[in-house]
Amino acid sequence: MEGRDRSTMHEIRLHNTMSGKVESFVPQKPGQVHMYTCGPTVYDYAHIGNFRTFVFQDVLRRFLKLRGLQLTHVMNLTDVDDRIIANAAAAGVPIREYTEKFVQAFYADCRALSVQSPENWIRATDNIPDMVALIEKLHAKSYTYQSDGSIYYRIAKFKDYGKLSKIDLAGMQTNARVDNDRYEKESARDFALWKAPKPGEHFWETALGPGRPGWHIECSAMAMKFLGETIDIHTGGIDLAFPHHENEIAQSEAATGKKFVRYWLHAEHLLVEGEKMSKSLGNFFTLRDLFAKGYKPSALRFALASVPYRRQLNFTFDGLLQATNSVERLRNFRLRLTAGTFPDGAGDDMQALANSAVERMRGALDDDLNTAQAQAAIFDMVRRANAAFDAG
Ligand SMILES: [Zn+2]
């Protein structure tokens, strides 16, 4: 965006799940953004619903950088959780060996979809001491209690519990516990920070005793370790808002007494042909499933980015074909520009057309990342420029 001065820049507006409103985005330190994204749990291949979120956060990171902000972005790989422990035990291999295949597959999928690497990829199992230290800090402030060798978070003590997902805890039993990493709002209870090992399960020997971290403490510990106690942006799929992000807030804010995240951004669900994606319905797709059918990564990325992130995205094979054609159209346009011969001199009309396309695209992205309007701005320009080509 050379040649533009800051006075022509509009403010960046982003929807914050915490307030439920679109807000003006102002980083904590001018010009710098610290951002955390909950990465995949590497117990299986990531599916297109996961990649809707990862493409969204990629568009966001590219946009923030385009706007001249210096970005420090961390994405974690959850390489220890209930499902990984169970699958690795069933396969009779150490968890690191079990997850490695899916870690590499995830990296390959990101490369295929042109999802940029964050400044830091981090793995939960590389940061266990930081999780232990955070649990000790919570213990010192009486936010924890023990039961059968596991350590739980006492949510009744954190008066702001539920502020992100607006959950009502009235009538909840004190000291009722939930051991699973993933659960529904109806079973909101004290959750496990540290889990005692069951026979045959992988565990770490630590100051807390033998065991393994719960999923939620992983993200709190790693986000604060790499980005500081208050971070600018935290992203994830909407299904993570409860319980995962609610629990991250409870852990981090109880430990530090500071606001954990300034802007919470969540991507909506993806449907497949109007239905919830599930293995039992036979409409569950990983990237490799689609590429094996001959669909192109560029078309998939285009399709996943075509709907603004806060709207539900209905993925259809018709839509994927349209996306294939759209990408082809852009490629042909580029070819025409680079291979064509044109009369000398700059055309004022074409310059104005390009400027207005850039302006519209930027305005669309400034407006809570309206990718649909940004794409429309490009295709308007392509249509008009093609007409000008045709007219010589
Ligand atoms: Zn997370």
Side-chain angles (χ1 to χ4, degrees):
M1 300 296 109
E2 305 94 89
R4 264 159 200 287
D5 64 72
R6 292 192 71 86
S7 64
T8 64
M9 281 201 181
H10 305 288
E11 60 175 4
I12 298 172
R13 295 175 60 74
L14 297 171
H15 182 269
N16 189 347
T17 310
M18 185 61 84
S19 66
K21 293 188 179 120
V22 176
E23 299 176 10
S24 172
F25 174 70
V26 182
Q28 188 170 211
K29 288 190 190 139
Q32 291 181 34
V33 179
H34 283 193
M35 175 161 115
Y36 186 87
T37 296
C38 287
T41 300
V42 282
Y43 74 108
D44 201 346
Y45 297 111
H47 53 68
I48 56 172
N50 302 133
F51 273 100
R52 199 255 162 127
T53 301
F54 296 127
V55 167
F56 143 65
Q57 62 81 42
D58 184 61
V59 171
L60 176 61
R61 67 167 276 129
R62 287 169 183 269
F63 168 66
L64 293 171
K65 291 202 301 181
L66 182 74
R67 291 296 303 263
L69 294 159
Q70 193 196 328
L71 182 66
T72 308
H73 180 201
V74 168
M75 197 194 301
N76 76 301
L77 298 165
T78 296
D79 61 352
V80 51
D81 94 326
D82 293 342
R83 294 172 296 185
I84 289 169
I85 295 264
N87 290 2
V93 293
I95 57 169
R96 192 88 181 193
E97 191 179 319
Y98 178 78
T99 56
E100 191 55 32
K101 174 174 142 192
F102 300 115
V103 170
Q104 295 309 324
F106 182 70
Y107 289 157
D109 286 350
C110 285
R111 283 194 297 274
L113 283 190
S114 296
V115 169
Q116 287 183 341
S117 287
E119 281 64 33
N120 296 288
W121 282 117
I122 52 176
R123 292 174 70 147
T125 55
D126 290 333
N127 297 280
I128 302 289
D130 303 278
M131 298 163 200
V132 170
L134 183 55
I135 295 169
E136 286 176 325
K137 206 166 173 184
L138 290 169
H139 172 70
K141 295 189 169 189
S142 312
Y143 280 96
T144 71
Y145 61 92
Q146 293 220 14
S147 178
D148 296 331
S150 293
I151 302 174
Y152 295 87
Y153 185 97
R154 195 188 301 278
I155 64 174
K157 189 172 161 66
F158 186 70
K159 63 173 175 26
D160 285 343
Y161 193 87
K163 65 180 172 181
L164 180 71
S165 54
K166 322 297 185 244
I167 189 173
D168 181 8
L169 291 176
M172 199 201 81
Q173 255 183 293
T174 325
N175 284 9
R177 293 178 294 277
V178 55
D179 284 298
N180 298 336
D181 282 332
R182 287 157 208 267
Y183 51 89
E184 302 298 318
K185 281 189 186 180
E186 297 71 53
S187 41
R189 300 200 163 80
D190 292 347
F191 57 92
L193 297 163
W194 188 255
K195 304 190 191 199
K198 296 195 185 80
E201 281 186 356
H202 185 91
F203 66 92
W204 283 264
E205 196 59 70
T206 72
L208 301 171
R212 60 179 170 100
W215 172 37
H216 317 296
I217 199 75
E218 296 175 11
C219 283
S220 277
M222 293 187 289
M224 294 198 291
K225 176 181 181 180
F226 289 89
L227 297 170
E229 292 178 340
T230 299
I231 66 180
D232 290 301
I233 300 177
H234 194 314
T235 72
I238 189 67
D239 53 320
L240 296 189
F242 185 88
H244 186 51
H245 293 161
E246 199 70 72
N247 292 350
E248 280 188 46
I249 292 168
Q251 296 163 149
S252 301
E253 298 193 354
T256 67
K258 295 177 189 161
K259 184 185 243 190
F260 173 45
V261 170
R262 300 174 65 246
Y263 299 85
W264 284 96
L265 272 63
H266 290 105
E268 259 300 332
H269 287 292
L270 170 142
L271 301 175
V272 174
E273 307 283 355
E275 290 191 283
K276 194 169 184 239
M277 185 168 67
S278 81
K279 284 188 177 163
S280 58
L281 285 175
N283 66 358
F284 182 98
F285 300 107
T286 64
L287 269 57
R288 54 215 68 226
D289 296 333
L290 296 179
F291 300 160
K293 290 175 191 283
Y295 296 102
K296 290 185 178 156
S298 55
L300 181 59
R301 180 182 169 100
F302 190 95
L304 293 177
S306 64
V307 174
Y309 75 97
R310 280 203 302 126
R311 290 221 322 258
Q312 214 168 46
L313 189 157
N314 186 21
F315 174 87
T316 65
F317 283 93
D318 273 355
L320 192 52
L321 275 181
Q322 280 173 32
T324 306
N325 293 335
S326 296
V327 173
E328 203 54 35
R329 226 171 134 216
L330 290 176
R331 290 217 163 102
N332 289 337
F333 179 66
R334 183 172 185 276
L335 191 69
R336 213 172 170 190
L337 278 183
T338 49
T341 47
F342 305 103
D344 284 343
D348 289 344
D349 289 356
M350 289 300 102
Q351 188 62 56
L353 180 60
N355 288 350
S356 104
V358 168
E359 204 58 51
R360 275 181 64 196
M361 194 173 160
R362 166 172 260 164
L365 293 174
D366 280 346
D367 181 16
D368 197 25
L369 291 187
N370 193 329
T371 47
Q373 280 189 17
Q375 286 182 351
I378 297 171
F379 282 97
D380 254 12
M381 179 190 72
V382 169
R383 188 172 48 77
R384 290 181 195 203
N386 271 330
F389 277 136
D390 295 341

